[in-house]
C-alpha cells in the first residue's frame, strides 16, 4: 500500500499562465480530458482552475471567453503538499479545506496533483469512487 503522495499522484501537471484566455483553458481541458489545470507564473504555482471554476467564476459572469483571462477564475488560496508527504496528511488537508484536488509542489514549483479519486483508488479500489476513478473516460 502506498504511503507517500509521490506513490499515487499524477505527475507532470498541465499548466497555463495567468493571462491565458478562459476559452483556451477550456480547450486544453477538453483536448487533454482534464478537470483541473494549474496556473503558474514562470515555474511558480499561482493557482488552480477547475472546469467548474471556468463556468461559475467566469462564463456565467459574462464577457468574452476569448478575452477573459484565467487569472480571475482560478483559486489562488491553495493548499499544497509535497511528494514526500504522507498520504494521511493529504487526506487531512482535503477534509479540513473541503477540496478534491491538491497540487503537489517541490519548493513552490508544481510537480503533480493528488486527487480524491487517486486516494480512493489507493485506499479502497472496490468503492464506487475508486471504481469510477479507475474507469477510462468515454469519448
Amino acid at each position: 500500500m502506498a504511503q507517500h503522495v509521490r506513490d499515487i499522484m499524477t505527475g507532470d501537471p498541465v499548466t497555463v499562465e495567468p493571462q491565458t484566455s478562459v476559452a483556451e483553458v477550456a480547450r486544453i481541458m477538453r483536448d487533454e480530458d482534464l478537470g483541473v489545470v494549474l496556473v503558474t507564473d514562470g515555474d511558480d504555482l499561482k493557482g488552480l482552475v477547475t472546469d467548474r471554476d471556468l463556468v461559475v467564476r467566469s462564463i456565467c459572469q459574462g464577457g468574452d471567453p476569448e478575452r477573459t483571462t484565467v487569472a480571475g477564475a482560478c483559486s489562488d488560496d491553495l493548499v499544497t503538499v509535497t511528494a514526500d508527504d504522507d498520504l494521511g496528511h493529504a487526506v487531512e488537508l482535503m477534509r479540513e479545506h473541503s477540496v478534491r484536488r491538491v497540487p503537489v509542489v517541490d519548493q513552490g514549483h508544481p510537480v503533480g496533483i493528488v486527487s480524491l479519486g487517486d486516494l480512493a483508488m489507493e485506499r479502497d479500489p472496490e468503492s464506487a469512487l475508486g471504481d469510477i476513478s479507475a474507469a477510462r473516460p468515454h469519448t
Side-chain angles (χ1 to χ4, degrees), residues 40-112:
T40 57
D41 187 4
D43 288 336
D44 295 326
L45 180 63
K46 295 299 181 186
L48 173 148
V49 65
T50 67
D51 45 5
R52 184 177 190 282
D53 290 335
L54 292 181
V55 172
V56 172
R57 294 183 181 169
S58 183
I59 303 296
C60 73
Q61 300 295 324
D64 182 353
E66 293 291 348
R67 292 189 173 167
T68 304
T69 66
V70 74
C74 72
S75 300
D76 55 7
D77 185 21
L78 296 178
V79 176
T80 62
V81 294
T82 69
D84 292 329
D85 280 337
D86 184 76
L87 284 180
H89 177 65
V91 170
E92 287 174 24
L93 286 174
M94 288 176 156
R95 281 186 181 140
E96 180 181 336
H97 297 277
S98 299
V99 295
R100 297 177 182 168
R101 300 171 182 104
V102 176
V104 182
V105 297
D106 180 8
Q107 297 180 0
H109 308 301
V111 296

Side-chain angles (χ1 to χ4, degrees), residues 11-35:
D12 298 321
V14 173
T15 63
V16 297
E17 294 284 323
Q19 66 273 16
T20 307
S21 76
V22 166
E24 179 61 21
V25 173
R27 285 189 288 273
I28 291 167
M29 288 179 167
R30 177 198 62 206
D31 295 347
E32 300 290 326
D33 192 32
L34 300 171

